[in-house]
Amino acid sequence: MPIPQFQPLCTLVILLSLSPLQAQQWDRFRGPNGTGRAVEGVSLPQTWSEEENVRWKTPILKGSSSPILNGDTIFLTGYSGYATDAEDLGQRGDLKLHVQAFSFETGKQIWDYNFSASANEQEATRRVIDHGYASPTACTDGKAVYAWFGPSGMVALDLQGNLLWKRELGSKTAGFGAAASPITWQNLVIMNASIEAGTLFALDKQTGKIVWELEEVNRAWTTPALAILADGGTELVLHYKDEARGIDPETGEVLWNCRGIPDYIVPVPIVDGDIIYFSGGRQNRTMAIRAGGRGDVTETHKLWEVARGANVTTPLLHDGHLYWSHDKAFALCMSAETGDVLDQTRFENGERVYASVVYGDEKLFMTQRNGVTLVLRASPEYNLLSENQLGDGEESFNATPAIHENSLLFRSTKHLIRVEK
């Protein structure tokens, strides 16, 4: 069943419903509402290297989380003391978890808040070391920073790095560890702790107290998103094994549910007005659902489902097309209206990808784990503009880049790097 023609009004409703900070700041994983899109009017570089267009490069702690910003302050998580070196793990009791602030202008560290990890954290295995103990990306509402560390809990800090509160939300671990990132809505911090507790939590931003919780959230490393509908209503959308749901963010009430992908879920839902795109699973499926229904909407609001998508990375929606920097080393473009694959091109170097594609200045930026970023023209046909290498060859680029003003911010396991013309 095809999707009706996209209405520009839907996008306008979203933008008008967001605060100026949310509309302009890269304040959570993949920026405003998880879209991966920079604001219009930025001028981003097309070429760079270690010697060209690098404004600054700062040594940082190991981690896989992405940078976020409030004004001209960058916030980043990391870890130290254990499993930072595969050859010398150190002592598990020395594991420290960090939230740090850096100057966007100079790259210099402003502050570092750290605490001892929970005894429930996983022992270092090859998979854990590959991703580390700081994979979830922090978020900010312009007043505080909220960072999630899986079984070690969530911390809320003021913008000067002082602890406001700390709360643990579950002690379980699985696979490569924590991955879902927190988001904020009104007076709430919303956290998908599926892996740690099988539960979606909403916490009071001021106190950390649980306002509501939704149980039986199964095998989901995904971050939720918010859909702002044409009638002004807001739905929290979440996808986990076997089911996609629309939830009242104020109360946690499930408004609608739809039969979902029968496997674990990692990619973030992508919102376009009242159309939500969900992807995931080992076999890579994608589906489009119209929000706003009630009850089981599988037969009434699921618009299409196809056996294409991504397992790890999140798509980007632009001009009626869904783009992936696919974790299995290729670029994919799909029609958002029908789910038809319009282009699939394998990367020549065959390098794997964990970072999701981001968009700005009519370009797509696809960062590979080896530090190469492919810059493509934002068009359905694969149109490679440049390949740009960062890193010393021994660091991994697992994090999705952030975009601020006319700069790209890259995070590796060793450095935070600002790239600008």
Side-chain angles (χ1 to χ4, degrees):
M1 179 178 179
I3 298 174
Q5 292 296 314
F6 295 100
Q7 297 298 323
L9 179 60
C10 293
T11 301
L12 179 60
V13 168
I14 291 176
L15 293 176
L16 290 177
S17 301
L18 295 172
S19 71
L21 176 68
Q22 290 174 309
Q24 297 174 11
Q25 289 280 293
W26 207 272
D27 55 1
R28 52 158 287 184
F29 179 58
R30 298 189 74 245
N33 204 26
T35 62
R37 296 177 60 90
V39 296
E40 296 299 326
V42 298
S43 178
L44 298 173
Q46 183 170 305
T47 60
W48 61 85
S49 68
E50 288 287 325
E51 293 77 32
E52 176 194 6
N53 287 336
V54 172
R55 178 75 174 267
W56 48 255
K57 181 176 181 178
T58 298
I60 58 170
L61 298 172
K62 193 170 183 180
S64 296
S65 60
S66 299
I68 63 164
L69 294 105
N70 178 69
D72 284 340
T73 302
I74 302 166
F75 301 105
L76 196 65
T77 65
Y79 72 97
S80 66
Y82 176 64
T84 60
D85 184 341
E87 304 300 323
D88 182 13
L89 296 180
Q91 300 299 313
R92 186 164 173 264
D94 294 334
L95 178 60
K96 297 281 188 181
L97 304 173
H98 299 251
V99 183
Q100 298 179 311
F102 299 86
S103 165
F104 174 73
E105 184 62 29
T106 66
K108 292 182 179 180
Q109 183 177 305
I110 301 170
W111 52 256
D112 175 8
Y113 171 82
N114 63 83
F115 65 101
S116 295
S118 167
N120 294 314
E121 290 283 359
Q122 289 175 285
E123 295 280 355
T125 64
R126 181 185 60 80
R127 294 183 72 192
V128 171
I129 293 171
D130 190 39
H131 298 270
Y133 294 93
S135 292
T137 296
C139 68
T140 179
D141 60 358
K143 299 177 182 178
V145 180
Y146 309 91
W148 172 246
F149 292 96
S152 291
M154 182 179 291
V155 294
L157 309 172
D158 67 21
L159 300 183
Q160 289 72 48
N162 301 304
L163 181 67
L164 300 174
W165 51 261
K166 180 179 183 295
R167 175 170 288 277
E168 294 185 5
L169 296 174
S171 60
K172 298 178 182 178
T173 59
F176 54 76
S181 300
I183 65 172
T184 63
W185 180 78
Q186 294 187 1
N187 65 320
L188 301 177
V189 184
I190 298 171
M191 185 66 231
N192 170 27
S194 168
I195 304 309
E196 297 77 15
T199 304
L200 177 69
F201 291 97
L203 309 179
D204 184 284
K205 288 197 298 189
Q206 303 296 320
T207 65
K209 292 182 179 179
I210 297 173
V211 176
W212 58 258
E213 54 189 279
L214 179 64
E215 298 179 343
E216 299 182 354
V217 177
N218 187 19
R219 293 181 62 75
W221 281 266
T222 179
T223 301
L226 292 161
I228 302 171
L229 308 185
D231 64 2
T234 300
E235 293 182 355
L236 178 70
V237 289
L238 178 68
H239 188 199
Y240 55 93
K241 184 178 183 291
D242 294 323
E243 192 162 315
R245 282 181 167 181
I247 301 158
D248 183 340
E250 185 173 0
T251 65
E253 176 191 0
V254 177
L255 303 174
W256 56 263
N257 61 281
C258 179
R259 186 168 60 248
I261 295 168
D263 203 349
Y264 66 80
I265 303 298
V266 179
V268 180
I270 296 299
V271 177
D272 183 46
D274 63 351
I275 307 297
I276 321 296
Y277 302 95
F278 300 93
S279 190
R282 293 179 185 86
Q283 301 304 316
N284 301 171
R285 302 193 69 81
T286 304
M287 59 186 183
I289 300 173
R290 185 180 299 281
R294 293 295 181 266
D296 187 340
V297 300
T298 303
E299 301 301 325
T300 58
H301 286 63
K302 181 185 285 190
L303 303 171
W304 53 257
E305 181 174 351
V306 296
R308 292 291 180 91
N311 177 24
V312 175
T313 62
T314 297
L316 182 137
L317 178 66
H318 174 67
D319 197 23
H321 302 101
L322 291 166
Y323 295 94
W324 272 274
S325 180
H326 198 285
D327 41 286
K328 291 184 173 61
F330 61 86
L332 174 69
C333 178
M334 180 185 294
S335 166
E337 183 176 3
T338 64
D340 294 335
V341 173
L342 304 178
D343 189 272
Q344 181 172 309
T345 301
R346 183 160 296 279
F347 301 143
E348 286 189 9
N349 61 6
E351 188 69 24
R352 298 292 296 269
V353 172
Y354 284 163
S356 298
V357 60
V358 295
Y359 165 88
D361 194 15
E362 297 299 322
K363 295 186 279 284
L364 304 172
F365 299 89
M366 300 183 174
T367 300
Q368 301 174 322
R369 296 195 72 196
N370 64 351
V372 170
T373 297
L374 309 177
V375 182
L376 278 66
R377 190 175 305 282
S379 62
E381 302 79 20
Y382 185 85
N383 188 338
L384 180 64
L385 301 175
S386 65
E387 295 187 25
N388 307 287
Q389 175 76 61
L390 291 174
D392 60 11
E394 297 182 356
E395 55 196 309
S396 294
F397 287 73
N398 299 328
T400 298
I403 301 175
H404 183 61
E405 296 181 352
N406 296 319
S407 296
L408 290 154
L409 290 170
F410 294 96
R411 188 264 173 85
S412 76
T413 49
K414 295 170 68 173
H415 294 98
L416 179 64
I417 307 165
R418 178 181 170 185
V419 172
E420 186 179 77
K421 287 182 182 178

